[in-house]
Amino acid sequence: MPLLCVCVLSCSPKLQNVEAPIEEAESFSYTGTEAIREEWWTSFDDPVLNKLIDSALTENLNLAATWEQFMAAQANLRGEKSFLWPDIELAVRNAISRPEPDFAGGENFQAGLAAGYELDLWGRIRAGIEAEEFRAEASFYDYQAAAMTLSAEISAAWFQLLTLKKQLELTDQQIETNENIIRLIRARFTSGQIRAVDILRQEQLLESTRDQKIFFETELELVKNRLAVLLGRPPQNLFITPKKDLPELPPLPETGLPLELIRRRPDIKLAYNLVLASDRDMAMAIRSKYPRLSLDLSAQSRSNNYNNLFQDWAYTLAGNLVAPLLYGGRLRAEVDRTEALKNQQLYLYGQTVLDAFREVEDALIQEQKQKERIQVLERRLDLAQKTNKQLRIEFLNGLSEYLDVLLSLDQEQQLQRDILEARQTLLEHRITLYRTLAGGFETERTNSAEF
């Protein structure tokens, strides 16, 4: 089985190779010609959406917490790099002895310096530093993936608001239509041309439409609350009223090759760097079985007064060679443990790649089928409107029952609502496609990041 070999240039100046344990992927099912933008949401040409996402990228609390996780990873890296330098300590002591010793009286002062340094003979320390470098880079990609997810959630919530606003407008129109029909058939009832049950059925449809309006009003407020939290604000502090309709669907972006997707997506690069970090952990465990050489240097001065404290110094230089001989298999077990963890991360990396391929394929298929579904719904609505018009004429001429008119009217109004929902779903599929194809994008925080 051919393996998918991926080469990625990490922030460290080394080209790393990892073979994902999966078959090499063929091209995606569909592709467009438009190059996908880094800030993909600008493809919808909606200034309000652009402003919302810009605000969320700086104020969302979960995203800020993910950034602090990256800051902690960088601090761990700096701490690991400190082992390449000697540890130097300063000690100062003032003591009084009773009875007085022979040394210059009972009060004395001591000052000393001590330094310790381990020579990285086998690269054990360097392997630990590289592991932390890859983890810090993985944490950065975790932040980018979180920013990508946040932008998708903001976009979906905004389009839901626009759809719900349009649904409410449509429901108001349908309520008005149903009320007018009730007045009409009541007038015909007084002349004996219609049954009382037909009035009751029309009133049921009217109340059903009012119920739909309550549902949409509730959903509108809930989406506003969710959007406020995504923006990092209390729900009661967000005052936003959507004033435009849903945007047109942008042209289909170019999907590119699967290998390009692997090099671009932050969640895949995150999993990739965790594989490399696990490999360095294993290297560190192997090299822990080798001897260690360290140097210790100390200098100390002692006097009964401060004036003479630094006149006489005593120096000690020592070299220590420590070689593990018998640890009851503990070091071998650590190597086996880190090797198993490396293999685990390799399989998780392969699964992440497979999931990414599936997400792209799913989004492409869903978008194509949703377009077909909207066309079917529009044809159904056109037929329902023609049928409803014809049934009204027949009803007015006494050729059909009002129940047929009522059922046709109900179906037409439901199709109008279904089309609005279907168009929103189509945009959500496009959001998913952008999220699955796009790479990371720069934010105010990432512009200041150091690697």
PDB file of all heavy atoms in Angstrom, residues 246-272:
ATOM      1  N   LEU A 246     -29.443  37.659   2.489  1.00  0.00           N
ATOM      2  CA  LEU A 246     -28.333  36.741   2.335  1.00  0.00           C
ATOM      3  C   LEU A 246     -27.521  37.081   1.090  1.00  0.00           C
ATOM      4  O   LEU A 246     -28.086  37.448   0.058  1.00  0.00           O
ATOM      5  CB  LEU A 246     -28.835  35.301   2.233  1.00  0.00           C
ATOM      6  CG  LEU A 246     -29.378  34.656   3.505  1.00  0.00           C
ATOM      7  CD1 LEU A 246     -29.997  33.299   3.183  1.00  0.00           C
ATOM      8  CD2 LEU A 246     -28.294  34.505   4.551  1.00  0.00           C
ATOM      9  N   PRO A 247     -26.197  36.962   1.167  1.00  0.00           N
ATOM     10  CA  PRO A 247     -25.380  37.276  -0.014  1.00  0.00           C
ATOM     11  C   PRO A 247     -25.491  36.174  -1.066  1.00  0.00           C
ATOM     12  O   PRO A 247     -25.924  35.056  -0.784  1.00  0.00           O
ATOM     13  CB  PRO A 247     -23.962  37.351   0.568  1.00  0.00           C
ATOM     14  CG  PRO A 247     -23.996  36.426   1.743  1.00  0.00           C
ATOM     15  CD  PRO A 247     -25.381  36.572   2.327  1.00  0.00           C
ATOM     16  N   GLU A 248     -25.074  36.502  -2.262  1.00  0.00           N
ATOM     17  CA  GLU A 248     -24.998  35.502  -3.321  1.00  0.00           C
ATOM     18  C   GLU A 248     -23.827  34.556  -3.031  1.00  0.00           C
ATOM     19  O   GLU A 248     -22.828  34.949  -2.432  1.00  0.00           O
ATOM     20  CB  GLU A 248     -24.799  36.172  -4.677  1.00  0.00           C
ATOM     21  CG  GLU A 248     -25.983  37.014  -5.128  1.00  0.00           C
ATOM     22  CD  GLU A 248     -27.229  36.168  -5.377  1.00  0.00           C
ATOM     23  OE1 GLU A 248     -27.062  35.010  -5.809  1.00  0.00           O
ATOM     24  OE2 GLU A 248     -28.344  36.675  -5.154  1.00  0.00           O
ATOM     25  N   LEU A 249     -23.981  33.329  -3.463  1.00  0.00           N
ATOM     26  CA  LEU A 249     -22.920  32.352  -3.249  1.00  0.00           C
ATOM     27  C   LEU A 249     -21.731  32.691  -4.144  1.00  0.00           C
ATOM     28  O   LEU A 249     -21.878  32.804  -5.364  1.00  0.00           O
ATOM     29  CB  LEU A 249     -23.430  30.944  -3.569  1.00  0.00           C
ATOM     30  CG  LEU A 249     -22.466  29.802  -3.247  1.00  0.00           C
ATOM     31  CD1 LEU A 249     -22.342  29.631  -1.735  1.00  0.00           C
ATOM     32  CD2 LEU A 249     -22.943  28.505  -3.881  1.00  0.00           C
ATOM     33  N   PRO A 250     -20.520  32.861  -3.564  1.00  0.00           N
ATOM     34  CA  PRO A 250     -19.342  33.161  -4.392  1.00  0.00           C
ATOM     35  C   PRO A 250     -19.005  31.983  -5.306  1.00  0.00           C
ATOM     36  O   PRO A 250     -19.457  30.852  -5.087  1.00  0.00           O
ATOM     37  CB  PRO A 250     -18.235  33.386  -3.348  1.00  0.00           C
ATOM     38  CG  PRO A 250     -18.947  33.655  -2.063  1.00  0.00           C
ATOM     39  CD  PRO A 250     -20.215  32.875  -2.132  1.00  0.00           C
ATOM     40  N   PRO A 251     -18.190  32.210  -6.327  1.00  0.00           N
ATOM     41  CA  PRO A 251     -17.777  31.109  -7.199  1.00  0.00           C
ATOM     42  C   PRO A 251     -17.045  30.023  -6.398  1.00  0.00           C
ATOM     43  O   PRO A 251     -16.420  30.300  -5.379  1.00  0.00           O
ATOM     44  CB  PRO A 251     -16.839  31.783  -8.209  1.00  0.00           C
ATOM     45  CG  PRO A 251     -17.225  33.230  -8.189  1.00  0.00           C
ATOM     46  CD  PRO A 251     -17.670  33.505  -6.791  1.00  0.00           C
ATOM     47  N   LEU A 252     -17.152  28.800  -6.889  1.00  0.00           N
ATOM     48  CA  LEU A 252     -16.510  27.669  -6.213  1.00  0.00           C
ATOM     49  C   LEU A 252     -15.000  27.857  -6.220  1.00  0.00           C
ATOM     50  O   LEU A 252     -14.408  28.118  -7.275  1.00  0.00           O
ATOM     51  CB  LEU A 252     -16.882  26.364  -6.917  1.00  0.00           C
ATOM     52  CG  LEU A 252     -16.396  25.073  -6.244  1.00  0.00           C
ATOM     53  CD1 LEU A 252     -17.122  24.861  -4.925  1.00  0.00           C
ATOM     54  CD2 LEU A 252     -16.614  23.877  -7.169  1.00  0.00           C
ATOM     55  N   PRO A 253     -14.346  27.727  -5.062  1.00  0.00           N
ATOM     56  CA  PRO A 253     -12.891  27.910  -5.020  1.00  0.00           C
ATOM     57  C   PRO A 253     -12.159  26.715  -5.609  1.00  0.00           C
ATOM     58  O   PRO A 253     -12.704  25.616  -5.716  1.00  0.00           O
ATOM     59  CB  PRO A 253     -12.603  28.060  -3.520  1.00  0.00           C
ATOM     60  CG  PRO A 253     -13.681  27.273  -2.860  1.00  0.00           C
ATOM     61  CD  PRO A 253     -14.904  27.462  -3.725  1.00  0.00           C
ATOM     62  N   GLU A 254     -10.918  26.940  -5.952  1.00  0.00           N
ATOM     63  CA  GLU A 254     -10.075  25.860  -6.447  1.00  0.00           C
ATOM     64  C   GLU A 254      -9.658  24.982  -5.271  1.00  0.00           C
ATOM     65  O   GLU A 254      -9.079  25.468  -4.292  1.00  0.00           O
ATOM     66  CB  GLU A 254      -8.847  26.440  -7.145  1.00  0.00           C
ATOM     67  CG  GLU A 254      -7.932  25.393  -7.751  1.00  0.00           C
ATOM     68  CD  GLU A 254      -6.720  26.019  -8.418  1.00  0.00           C
ATOM     69  OE1 GLU A 254      -6.570  27.256  -8.322  1.00  0.00           O
ATOM     70  OE2 GLU A 254      -5.935  25.271  -9.018  1.00  0.00           O
ATOM     71  N   THR A 255      -9.948  23.694  -5.350  1.00  0.00           N
ATOM     72  CA  THR A 255      -9.646  22.797  -4.237  1.00  0.00           C
ATOM     73  C   THR A 255      -8.188  22.410  -4.192  1.00  0.00           C
ATOM     74  O   THR A 255      -7.655  22.115  -3.122  1.00  0.00           O
ATOM     75  CB  THR A 255     -10.511  21.535  -4.322  1.00  0.00           C
ATOM     76  OG1 THR A 255     -10.309  20.913  -5.595  1.00  0.00           O
ATOM     77  CG2 THR A 255     -11.978  21.885  -4.171  1.00  0.00           C
ATOM     78  N   GLY A 256      -7.511  22.401  -5.322  1.00  0.00           N
ATOM     79  CA  GLY A 256      -6.103  22.041  -5.331  1.00  0.00           C
ATOM     80  C   GLY A 256      -5.885  20.555  -5.108  1.00  0.00           C
ATOM     81  O   GLY A 256      -6.823  19.750  -5.102  1.00  0.00           O
ATOM     82  N   LEU A 257      -4.633  20.187  -4.898  1.00  0.00           N
ATOM     83  CA  LEU A 257      -4.273  18.791  -4.669  1.00  0.00           C
ATOM     84  C   LEU A 257      -4.359  18.455  -3.189  1.00  0.00           C
ATOM     85  O   LEU A 257      -4.155  19.328  -2.335  1.00  0.00           O
ATOM     86  CB  LEU A 257      -2.856  18.527  -5.190  1.00  0.00           C
ATOM     87  CG  LEU A 257      -2.641  18.754  -6.692  1.00  0.00           C
ATOM     88  CD1 LEU A 257      -1.165  18.585  -7.043  1.00  0.00           C
ATOM     89  CD2 LEU A 257      -3.498  17.806  -7.507  1.00  0.00           C
ATOM     90  N   PRO A 258      -4.634  17.192  -2.855  1.00  0.00           N
ATOM     91  CA  PRO A 258      -4.678  16.803  -1.438  1.00  0.00           C
ATOM     92  C   PRO A 258      -3.389  17.129  -0.689  1.00  0.00           C
ATOM     93  O   PRO A 258      -3.428  17.509   0.477  1.00  0.00           O
ATOM     94  CB  PRO A 258      -4.935  15.296  -1.507  1.00  0.00           C
ATOM     95  CG  PRO A 258      -5.649  15.087  -2.793  1.00  0.00           C
ATOM     96  CD  PRO A 258      -5.051  16.085  -3.741  1.00  0.00           C
ATOM     97  N   LEU A 259      -2.235  16.987  -1.348  1.00  0.00           N
ATOM     98  CA  LEU A 259      -0.973  17.283  -0.680  1.00  0.00           C
ATOM     99  C   LEU A 259      -0.880  18.752  -0.292  1.00  0.00           C
ATOM    100  O   LEU A 259      -0.331  19.101   0.762  1.00  0.00           O
ATOM    101  CB  LEU A 259       0.196  16.903  -1.590  1.00  0.00           C
ATOM    102  CG  LEU A 259       1.593  16.979  -0.954  1.00  0.00           C
ATOM    103  CD1 LEU A 259       1.685  16.057   0.249  1.00  0.00           C
ATOM    104  CD2 LEU A 259       2.667  16.634  -1.977  1.00  0.00           C
ATOM    105  N   GLU A 260      -1.437  19.636  -1.116  1.00  0.00           N
ATOM    106  CA  GLU A 260      -1.450  21.057  -0.786  1.00  0.00           C
ATOM    107  C   GLU A 260      -2.305  21.318   0.443  1.00  0.00           C
ATOM    108  O   GLU A 260      -1.989  22.187   1.259  1.00  0.00           O
ATOM    109  CB  GLU A 260      -1.968  21.864  -1.977  1.00  0.00           C
ATOM    110  CG  GLU A 260      -1.073  21.795  -3.207  1.00  0.00           C
ATOM    111  CD  GLU A 260      -1.694  22.483  -4.407  1.00  0.00           C
ATOM    112  OE1 GLU A 260      -2.867  22.905  -4.302  1.00  0.00           O
ATOM    113  OE2 GLU A 260      -1.029  22.588  -5.446  1.00  0.00           O
ATOM    114  N   LEU A 261      -3.404  20.575   0.551  1.00  0.00           N
ATOM    115  CA  LEU A 261      -4.269  20.726   1.719  1.00  0.00           C
ATOM    116  C   LEU A 261      -3.518  20.373   2.987  1.00  0.00           C
ATOM    117  O   LEU A 261      -3.635  21.049   4.019  1.00  0.00           O
ATOM    118  CB  LEU A 261      -5.509  19.840   1.561  1.00  0.00           C
ATOM    119  CG  LEU A 261      -6.498  19.843   2.723  1.00  0.00           C
ATOM    120  CD1 LEU A 261      -7.214  21.185   2.799  1.00  0.00           C
ATOM    121  CD2 LEU A 261      -7.502  18.713   2.579  1.00  0.00           C
ATOM    122  N   ILE A 262      -2.722  19.308   2.942  1.00  0.00           N
ATOM    123  CA  ILE A 262      -1.975  18.856   4.115  1.00  0.00           C
ATOM    124  C   ILE A 262      -0.964  19.911   4.535  1.00  0.00           C
ATOM    125  O   ILE A 262      -0.731  20.137   5.724  1.00  0.00           O
ATOM    126  CB  ILE A 262      -1.288  17.518   3.812  1.00  0.00           C
ATOM    127  CG1 ILE A 262      -2.345  16.428   3.624  1.00  0.00           C
ATOM    128  CG2 ILE A 262      -0.333  17.127   4.918  1.00  0.00           C
ATOM    129  CD1 ILE A 262      -1.792  15.105   3.174  1.00  0.00           C
ATOM    130  N   ARG A 263      -0.375  20.567   3.576  1.00  0.00           N
ATOM    131  CA  ARG A 263       0.629  21.585   3.903  1.00  0.00           C
ATOM    132  C   ARG A 263      -0.007  22.884   4.390  1.00  0.00           C
ATOM    133  O   ARG A 263       0.685  23.730   4.934  1.00  0.00           O
ATOM    134  CB  ARG A 263       1.483  21.872   2.662  1.00  0.00           C
ATOM    135  CG  ARG A 263       2.399  20.716   2.282  1.00  0.00           C
ATOM    136  CD  ARG A 263       3.060  20.973   0.951  1.00  0.00           C
ATOM    137  NE  ARG A 263       4.067  19.956   0.653  1.00  0.00           N
ATOM    138  CZ  ARG A 263       4.642  19.809  -0.538  1.00  0.00           C
ATOM    139  NH1 ARG A 263       4.292  20.599  -1.534  1.00  0.00           N
ATOM    140  NH2 ARG A 263       5.545  18.868  -0.735  1.00  0.00           N
ATOM    141  N   ARG A 264      -1.312  23.030   4.175  1.00  0.00           N
ATOM    142  CA  ARG A 264      -1.972  24.308   4.445  1.00  0.00           C
ATOM    143  C   ARG A 264      -2.768  24.309   5.735  1.00  0.00           C
ATOM    144  O   ARG A 264      -2.745  25.304   6.475  1.00  0.00           O
ATOM    145  CB  ARG A 264      -2.884  24.626   3.252  1.00  0.00           C
ATOM    146  CG  ARG A 264      -3.503  25.993   3.276  1.00  0.00           C
ATOM    147  CD  ARG A 264      -4.119  26.330   1.935  1.00  0.00           C
ATOM    148  NE  ARG A 264      -5.141  25.346   1.542  1.00  0.00           N
ATOM    149  CZ  ARG A 264      -5.154  24.718   0.375  1.00  0.00           C
ATOM    150  NH1 ARG A 264      -4.187  24.927  -0.503  1.00  0.00           N
ATOM    151  NH2 ARG A 264      -6.121  23.863   0.076  1.00  0.00           N
ATOM    152  N   ARG A 265      -3.463  23.231   6.047  1.00  0.00           N
ATOM    153  CA  ARG A 265      -4.402  23.249   7.167  1.00  0.00           C
ATOM    154  C   ARG A 265      -3.683  23.247   8.506  1.00  0.00           C
ATOM    155  O   ARG A 265      -2.808  22.417   8.756  1.00  0.00           O
ATOM    156  CB  ARG A 265      -5.350  22.052   7.081  1.00  0.00           C
ATOM    157  CG  ARG A 265      -6.510  22.302   6.165  1.00  0.00           C
ATOM    158  CD  ARG A 265      -7.499  21.187   6.158  1.00  0.00           C
ATOM    159  NE  ARG A 265      -7.975  20.757   7.453  1.00  0.00           N
ATOM    160  CZ  ARG A 265      -9.165  20.214   7.658  1.00  0.00           C
ATOM    161  NH1 ARG A 265     -10.000  20.070   6.651  1.00  0.00           N
ATOM    162  NH2 ARG A 265      -9.521  19.814   8.847  1.00  0.00           N
ATOM    163  N   PRO A 266      -4.061  24.167   9.423  1.00  0.00           N
ATOM    164  CA  PRO A 266      -3.361  24.241  10.714  1.00  0.00           C
ATOM    165  C   PRO A 266      -3.576  23.019  11.594  1.00  0.00           C
ATOM    166  O   PRO A 266      -2.670  22.642  12.336  1.00  0.00           O
ATOM    167  CB  PRO A 266      -3.937  25.515  11.358  1.00  0.00           C
ATOM    168  CG  PRO A 266      -5.225  25.778  10.647  1.00  0.00           C
ATOM    169  CD  PRO A 266      -5.054  25.252   9.265  1.00  0.00           C
ATOM    170  N   ASP A 267      -4.769  22.380  11.529  1.00  0.00           N
ATOM    171  CA  ASP A 267      -4.969  21.220  12.391  1.00  0.00           C
ATOM    172  C   ASP A 267      -4.109  20.043  11.950  1.00  0.00           C
ATOM    173  O   ASP A 267      -3.646  19.256  12.790  1.00  0.00           O
ATOM    174  CB  ASP A 267      -6.457  20.823  12.402  1.00  0.00           C
ATOM    175  CG  ASP A 267      -6.988  20.511  11.015  1.00  0.00           C
ATOM    176  OD1 ASP A 267      -6.443  21.053  10.024  1.00  0.00           O
ATOM    177  OD2 ASP A 267      -7.952  19.729  10.903  1.00  0.00           O
ATOM    178  N   ILE A 268      -3.842  19.921  10.640  1.00  0.00           N
ATOM    179  CA  ILE A 268      -2.963  18.860  10.164  1.00  0.00           C
ATOM    180  C   ILE A 268      -1.524  19.169  10.560  1.00  0.00           C
ATOM    181  O   ILE A 268      -0.774  18.273  10.994  1.00  0.00           O
ATOM    182  CB  ILE A 268      -3.085  18.696   8.640  1.00  0.00           C
ATOM    183  CG1 ILE A 268      -4.503  18.246   8.276  1.00  0.00           C
ATOM    184  CG2 ILE A 268      -2.077  17.701   8.111  1.00  0.00           C
ATOM    185  CD1 ILE A 268      -4.737  18.083   6.791  1.00  0.00           C
ATOM    186  N   LYS A 269      -1.123  20.425  10.439  1.00  0.00           N
ATOM    187  CA  LYS A 269       0.238  20.796  10.834  1.00  0.00           C
ATOM    188  C   LYS A 269       0.430  20.639  12.335  1.00  0.00           C
ATOM    189  O   LYS A 269       1.539  20.329  12.805  1.00  0.00           O
ATOM    190  CB  LYS A 269       0.540  22.226  10.384  1.00  0.00           C
ATOM    191  CG  LYS A 269       0.626  22.351   8.864  1.00  0.00           C
ATOM    192  CD  LYS A 269       1.220  23.669   8.431  1.00  0.00           C
ATOM    193  CE  LYS A 269       0.259  24.810   8.545  1.00  0.00           C
ATOM    194  NZ  LYS A 269       0.799  26.062   7.954  1.00  0.00           N
ATOM    195  N   LEU A 270      -0.636  20.843  13.093  1.00  0.00           N
ATOM    196  CA  LEU A 270      -0.576  20.601  14.542  1.00  0.00           C
ATOM    197  C   LEU A 270      -0.267  19.125  14.820  1.00  0.00           C
ATOM    198  O   LEU A 270       0.658  18.795  15.571  1.00  0.00           O
ATOM    199  CB  LEU A 270      -1.901  21.006  15.186  1.00  0.00           C
ATOM    200  CG  LEU A 270      -2.046  20.913  16.701  1.00  0.00           C
ATOM    201  CD1 LEU A 270      -3.144  21.875  17.162  1.00  0.00           C
ATOM    202  CD2 LEU A 270      -2.405  19.519  17.189  1.00  0.00           C
ATOM    203  N   ALA A 271      -1.055  18.234  14.198  1.00  0.00           N
ATOM    204  CA  ALA A 271      -0.833  16.800  14.403  1.00  0.00           C
ATOM    205  C   ALA A 271       0.535  16.379  13.913  1.00  0.00           C
ATOM    206  O   ALA A 271       1.192  15.517  14.518  1.00  0.00           O
ATOM    207  CB  ALA A 271      -1.930  16.005  13.687  1.00  0.00           C
ATOM    208  N   TYR A 272       0.987  16.983  12.818  1.00  0.00           N
ATOM    209  CA  TYR A 272       2.298  16.669  12.261  1.00  0.00           C
ATOM    210  C   TYR A 272       3.413  17.015  13.254  1.00  0.00           C
ATOM    211  O   TYR A 272       4.335  16.226  13.487  1.00  0.00           O
ATOM    212  CB  TYR A 272       2.460  17.443  10.957  1.00  0.00           C
ATOM    213  CG  TYR A 272       3.796  17.290  10.291  1.00  0.00           C
ATOM    214  CD1 TYR A 272       4.046  16.228   9.444  1.00  0.00           C
ATOM    215  CD2 TYR A 272       4.804  18.218  10.496  1.00  0.00           C
ATOM    216  CE1 TYR A 272       5.269  16.090   8.824  1.00  0.00           C
ATOM    217  CE2 TYR A 272       6.030  18.088   9.883  1.00  0.00           C
ATOM    218  CZ  TYR A 272       6.261  17.025   9.048  1.00  0.00           C
ATOM    219  OH  TYR A 272       7.483  16.888   8.441  1.00  0.00           O
TER     220      TYR A 272
END
